[in-house]
Amino acid sequence: MEEKFKLNGPGRGLCAKGCGRQNKQLNTYDYLADIPGNAEATDLVEVQFKNTRKGYYHNHNRLPLEKGDIVAVEATPGHDIGVISLTGRLVPLQIKKANLKSEQEIKRVYRKAKPVDLEKYEEAKNREHGTMIRSRQIAKELGLQMKIGDVEYQGDGNKAIFYYIADGRVDFRQLIKVLADTFHVRIEMKQIGARQEAGRIGGIGPCGRELCCATWMKNFVSVSTGAARYQDISLNPQKLAGQCAKLKCCMNYEVDTYVEAGKRLPSREITLLTQDAEYFFFKADILGGLVTYSTDKRLAANLVTLTTARVFEVINMNRRGEKPEKLNNNETTDQTKPADLVEQESLTRFDKRRKNKGKRKDNGNGRGNMHRKEMQNTNQERQNRNRNRDNKENRNEQNTYRSENRNGKEKRRRERDYRSEKPTETGNPPTVKTE
């Protein structure tokens, strides 16, 4: 009995219909696509346009639409071209998440895109880059403090959306007039932030995955440095900032867990007293429940790591006026070392090429170790011979220097004696030096 293979049949983990085009940002996986009657549950569909812009429309004509279909939708004015990104029961949930409360904001789907519609759309899309460059020049000539990051033409080419970034309010009324006269289209200015721009451009984060703002994140929550303090992250601006030059959004993912775990730790201001010394707070492993104390406030001296239970026990003893002999009380803390995927390999193994000359593998009878010992002894003997040769040369140089000094002194003594014995011109007898 032959059975046809179905990717979306029972026993499969994923549904092929739920996957969308991977070259689009903010892709949504429809995990209800293979459920019977899912598409007929509602006439609402989600349509995605360039980059991160999405819209929700009514399918009044009951067209058989699936994820990935290119459709022509209602716009103001004219029509726009987009791609179906979601259908069925998940669309109302997405609308609720987008805070679209009024039904009047939801327009309708006209038809599936025709070849004529696609030709106009491609013509308008090819004009976007040139329009963006020219609009930047116009904004610079007008002296506006703004940056035009992207331009998006409507599917029929009658309207253009200019996305810009600015620190404050910008009076772009004159800019709209100049742009309308230059490009002969309807102009719409839309201000976005640095995070929205990063989501539109996309990229890879330090975690090795695509940016959250470019894949699934729609609503941006404010991030403060308090999230870094709760997680004991170093307050280094270069490490805390993302590609948008703002604080990383992923810092908010685990901050609630760290805050809850931090409540079970003792206060950092409390010091522990023993019969030998006084211990101050040094650092803490928040999730592991371990606290490290030092005998110095500013330096790591005599570090002792305790569990929270032992710390509170010592604190209660100090409050009763008692001081333990030792802080750890012979207590062993199980500090599990994190798994290192590259632990078996050295990160610098490719920096210098190892020389395997003269090395032999051990065949099981210890010959390899004996050969290594012989090589070590040979190297040691060679170093000793070189050292003896250097010492001998140094001694020869010192002897030569001493002999030269003696010869020079003898020569100078003879010249002095000769001058003292030579007769003078007046006929006076030479003076004889008496010793």
Side-chain angles (χ1 to χ4, degrees):
M1 181 177 180
E2 296 182 358
E3 294 182 0
K4 294 183 179 180
F5 178 80
K6 295 182 180 180
L7 183 62
N8 58 345
R12 301 296 299 178
L14 297 175
C15 174
K17 294 183 179 180
C19 300
R21 300 174 63 183
Q22 298 302 318
N23 59 347
K24 293 290 184 179
Q25 294 174 320
L26 288 182
N27 180 55
T28 305
Y29 176 74
D30 188 4
Y31 57 88
L32 300 178
D34 56 345
I35 295 180
N38 177 55
E40 293 77 11
T42 177
D43 63 341
L44 293 171
V45 293
E46 182 185 70
V47 181
Q48 183 170 354
F49 303 96
K50 183 180 179 181
N51 294 332
T52 59
R53 187 169 71 92
K54 286 186 176 182
Y56 301 93
Y57 298 88
H58 282 291
N59 185 13
H60 291 310
N61 298 328
R62 292 293 178 178
L63 300 173
L65 300 178
E66 294 182 358
K67 189 169 185 176
D69 293 340
I70 302 176
V71 294
V73 297
E74 182 183 1
T76 307
H79 67 273
D80 203 352
I81 303 297
V83 181
I84 298 293
S85 58
L86 195 63
T87 59
R89 296 182 177 90
L90 294 181
V91 180
L93 299 178
Q94 295 290 98
I95 294 176
K96 185 178 180 180
K97 189 177 181 180
N99 295 326
L100 293 178
K101 300 179 181 179
S102 177
E103 293 291 337
Q104 298 178 356
E105 299 179 5
I106 302 177
K107 298 180 175 61
R108 59 193 179 94
V109 178
Y110 285 147
R111 60 186 179 276
K112 287 188 177 181
K114 299 179 180 179
V116 179
D117 299 331
L118 296 179
E119 289 179 2
K120 291 183 179 180
Y121 176 67
E122 290 296 332
E123 292 177 0
K125 192 175 182 180
N126 295 333
R127 296 160 51 192
E128 292 177 351
H129 183 71
T131 303
M132 180 183 66
I133 300 301
R134 178 56 183 157
S135 62
R136 289 180 178 179
Q137 297 175 355
I138 296 174
K140 186 177 180 180
E141 293 173 359
L142 296 177
L144 300 178
Q145 300 296 326
M146 60 185 296
K147 174 190 174 183
I148 298 178
D150 196 6
V151 177
E152 179 183 358
Y153 270 94
Q154 198 170 270
D156 54 2
N158 296 327
K159 179 182 176 182
I161 303 175
F162 291 80
Y163 297 92
Y164 72 94
I165 303 172
D167 295 333
R169 294 181 60 87
V170 179
D171 186 6
F172 47 77
R173 288 177 292 183
Q174 183 64 24
L175 177 63
I176 293 177
K177 295 179 182 179
V178 177
L179 294 178
D181 295 338
T182 304
F183 303 111
H184 304 286
V185 293
R186 185 173 180 178
I187 306 298
E188 180 180 349
M189 305 296 295
K190 183 173 292 186
Q191 184 176 5
I192 60 176
R195 293 178 176 176
Q196 285 82 357
E197 183 189 21
R200 295 183 66 84
I201 296 174
I204 304 298
C207 58
R209 304 187 63 178
E210 288 188 76
L211 299 179
C212 297
C213 54
T215 51
W216 61 272
M217 183 180 291
K218 298 180 181 179
N219 301 324
F220 297 96
V221 182
S222 61
V223 185
S224 62
T225 56
R229 293 191 181 94
Y230 282 122
Q231 303 177 59
D232 279 344
I233 301 176
S234 176
L235 298 178
N236 188 351
Q238 296 180 353
K239 294 183 179 180
L240 296 181
Q243 296 188 9
C244 58
K246 303 292 183 180
L247 294 178
K248 294 179 182 178
C249 298
C250 55
M251 291 173 56
N252 283 343
Y253 296 165
E254 299 178 355
V255 65
D256 294 336
T257 304
Y258 276 88
V259 171
E260 193 67 24
K263 295 179 181 179
R264 297 190 290 268
L265 295 179
S267 176
R268 302 189 177 190
E269 305 298 330
I270 298 177
T271 60
L272 304 182
L273 302 177
T274 62
Q275 296 180 4
D276 299 333
E278 182 178 3
Y279 289 86
F280 303 91
F281 179 87
F282 184 71
K283 65 177 182 179
D285 184 357
I286 300 177
L287 299 181
L290 302 176
V291 187
T292 303
Y293 286 88
S294 172
T295 55
D296 196 314
K297 285 185 177 181
R298 301 178 181 178
L299 301 177
N302 303 324
L303 296 180
V304 179
T305 303
L306 307 174
T307 60
T308 54
R310 176 59 181 172
V311 173
F312 284 113
E313 181 181 353
V314 176
I315 291 175
N316 294 330
M317 293 176 63
N318 294 154
R319 289 177 179 176
R320 295 193 301 265
E322 301 177 2
K323 295 182 180 179
E325 296 181 359
K326 295 182 180 180
L327 196 60
N328 55 3
N329 196 17
N330 297 327
E331 175 183 276
T332 59
T333 57
D334 297 333
Q335 300 184 16
T336 58
K337 186 178 180 181
D340 189 1
L341 299 180
V342 295
E343 185 178 7
Q344 67 276 9
E345 296 290 347
S346 174
L347 296 178
T348 60
R349 61 186 183 274
F350 298 118
D351 294 347
K352 294 182 180 180
R353 188 175 181 180
R354 297 180 179 178
K355 297 182 180 180
N356 297 325
K357 185 177 180 181
K359 293 186 178 180
R360 299 179 182 175
K361 294 184 179 180
D362 192 356
N363 55 4
N365 54 3
R367 293 183 179 178
N369 296 330
M370 293 175 62
H371 182 71
R372 282 193 293 270
K373 291 181 180 179
E374 292 176 358
M375 293 294 295
Q376 293 176 1
N377 295 332
T378 305
N379 294 333
Q380 187 67 26
E381 292 176 359
R382 187 182 299 109
Q383 292 177 2
N384 293 334
R385 287 197 300 267
N386 294 335
R387 191 180 300 109
N388 294 333
R389 186 178 63 253
D390 294 340
N391 294 335
K392 186 176 180 180
E393 292 177 357
N394 292 334
R395 287 195 298 270
N396 293 335
E397 291 178 358
Q398 292 177 2
N399 295 332
T400 303
Y401 178 74
R402 291 173 183 173
S403 62
E404 290 178 356
N405 289 339
R406 286 196 298 269
N407 295 335
K409 291 181 180 179
E410 184 68 21
K411 184 178 181 180
R412 287 193 296 271
R413 187 179 64 79
R414 291 177 182 178
E415 291 178 355
R416 188 169 59 252
D417 294 343
Y418 174 76
R419 286 195 301 269
S420 62
E421 294 176 358
K422 185 178 180 180
T424 60
E425 295 179 357
T426 56
N428 296 330
T431 57
V432 180
K433 185 179 180 181
T434 59
E435 295 182 0

